[in-house]
Structure formats: structure tokens, C-alpha cells
Amino acid sequence: IAGITQAPTSQILAAGRRMTLRCTQDMRHNAMYWYRQDLGLGLRLIHYSNTAGTTGKGEVPDGYSVSRANTDDFPLTLASAVPSQTSVYFCASSDGLDHTDTQYFGPGTRLTVL
Amino acid sequence: GQNIDQPTEMTATEGAIVQINCTYQTSGFNGLFWYQQHAGEAPTFLSYNVLDGLEEKGRFSSFLSRSKGYSYLLLKELQMKDSASYLCAVRDGDYKLSFGAGTTVTVRA
């Protein structure tokens, strides 16, 4: 079944630890995105990638890094987690080819940093 | 920065109609999206408007006025399963999506 998968589903992490959130899509979409969703703030873009080999910063990139070695995978790394990074993280992708360029979202990762 | 406003909560009765308004001020405009998000789940695409006017998709319709920076999502013949959060998102001049905080709709029997 085509779609986006994220792992882990949820995680509790000690502050200062390193963590990588995984995202894989099998739709051969060119563009991929990472968002965080916090109560009352809506979805905010962390990083994006328009195509394999390129990445860009979104609205809230500090404390996060990404890589795009191939079309399918777009991992998000927290080098040294802090409590303010407690959030729900959503990965999304879009094909960038049709005029709507609709983004499709993965199921999310609920991260708690203590 | 981008500014997208929508009401926090709305309540309606099963079978009724609800209209969710969204106003925006963004750097450039390349389309407006509405997403539905059930609690604990991912947002799912509902509609897209890039030209002024009404787009109808079954029980859901979306309207856009670019000159007023305004959109609404109309949900007709409400069902219990329509209880969810509805997210307004605007694609700006850099082709990035900015989201409103979402409107939680509660449908009561």
C-alpha cells in the first residue's frame, strides 16, 4: 500500500540525548517535509527537501538537522534534545509535478523530552 | 511572517451546516488548502483553491476570495464522523505551506 511511514510511533527521551526520527515514502514523490505540531500553534515547517540531495530550512529549524540521500527517505535528527522539542512530528511528501502539489502526511511521531 | 486566522472551536448539530472561516496575510499566494485531522491522526487533504470562487466536493465546499484574503470551508449534512480539527493552509510565494492553528468542530446528536 502506497504511503508514508514514520518511526517510532512514540518516544520518551532524556534531555541531551540524540534522536533520529525516520520517514519513508513509496510514492516516488520529489519533495518531502518535516513539521512539528503543538497545541494552539498549528503545524510549523522545520526542514524540507525539494529533491534528493537538497535540503532547506523552514520556520523553526534550530536544533534539528535533516538529510536526503535518496528519494524515499528523509530522517530528522535532534542532536541534543531539549524539553521544548516535546511535540508531535509529522513527515509529509508531495510530487511537485501537478498544479496542486498537495502534501500527504505520515501518521506522526509523538516525542516527549524529559 | 505569515498570519493565518481561524476560529478555535465550533459546535453544530448532526445534519446541520457549519462554515469555518479563514483569513490570511502572507508573502505571496500560490493556493489555499483545507485539511481534516481527527484526534491522534495525520492531516488528510480535503480541498484546494487557487482561483476565486467555490469548489464543491460532495458534502464539503471551499470558497476563496484572494482580494479579501479570505476562505471558508462549508460542511453540509453534518455527520458524527465529521467531528475533527480543520486546518487552513496557505502556500506562499516561496511555495511553502503555512498553517492556521486549526478549528475543532464538534458534532452533537
Side-chain angles (χ1 to χ4, degrees), chain A residues 30-88:
Chain A
N30 290 310
M32 297 186 74
Y33 314 84
W34 274 105
Y35 294 88
R36 59 178 290 173
Q37 187 174 38
D38 302 290
L39 199 62
L41 293 178
L43 286 154
R44 292 181 292 168
L45 182 65
I46 304 170
H47 284 287
Y48 65 92
S49 168
N50 288 330
T51 188
T54 68
T55 63
K57 293 182 180 180
E59 180 185 355
V60 289
D62 294 343
Y64 306 95
S65 64
V66 291
S67 61
R68 187 88 184 276
N70 56 62
T71 298
D72 299 343
D73 301 301
F74 191 43
L76 176 75
T77 297
L78 289 67
S80 179
V82 295
S84 62
Q85 292 178 311
T86 293
S87 187
V88 180

Side-chain angles (χ1 to χ4, degrees), chain A residues 8-38:
Chain A
T9 302
S10 65
Q11 181 76 44
I12 299 174
L13 190 65
R17 297 298 295 268
R18 180 184 180 89
M19 176 74 191
T20 295
L21 308 185
R22 299 185 298 278
C23 175
T24 300
Q25 55 101 359
D26 62 2
M27 298 177 282
R28 308 303 295 172
H29 282 174
N30 290 310
M32 297 186 74
Y33 314 84
W34 274 105
Y35 294 88
R36 59 178 290 173
Q37 187 174 38
D38 302 290

Side-chain angles (χ1 to χ4, degrees), chain B residues 48-93:
Chain B
Y48 168 75
N49 295 70
V50 67
L51 300 176
D52 290 351
L54 189 68
E55 293 282 340
E56 297 188 81
K57 270 188 180 182
R59 295 190 298 114
F60 293 0
S61 303
S62 56
F63 172 83
L64 175 67
S65 169
R66 289 172 296 171
S67 63
K68 295 181 179 178
Y70 167 71
S71 173
Y72 68 72
L73 179 70
L74 195 68
L75 286 63
K76 294 177 276 190
E77 302 169 20
L78 278 173
Q79 301 175 9
M80 300 300 287
K81 67 179 182 180
D82 297 330
S83 291
S85 185
Y86 292 85
L87 314 179
C88 174
V90 176
R91 188 160 61 202
D92 63 21

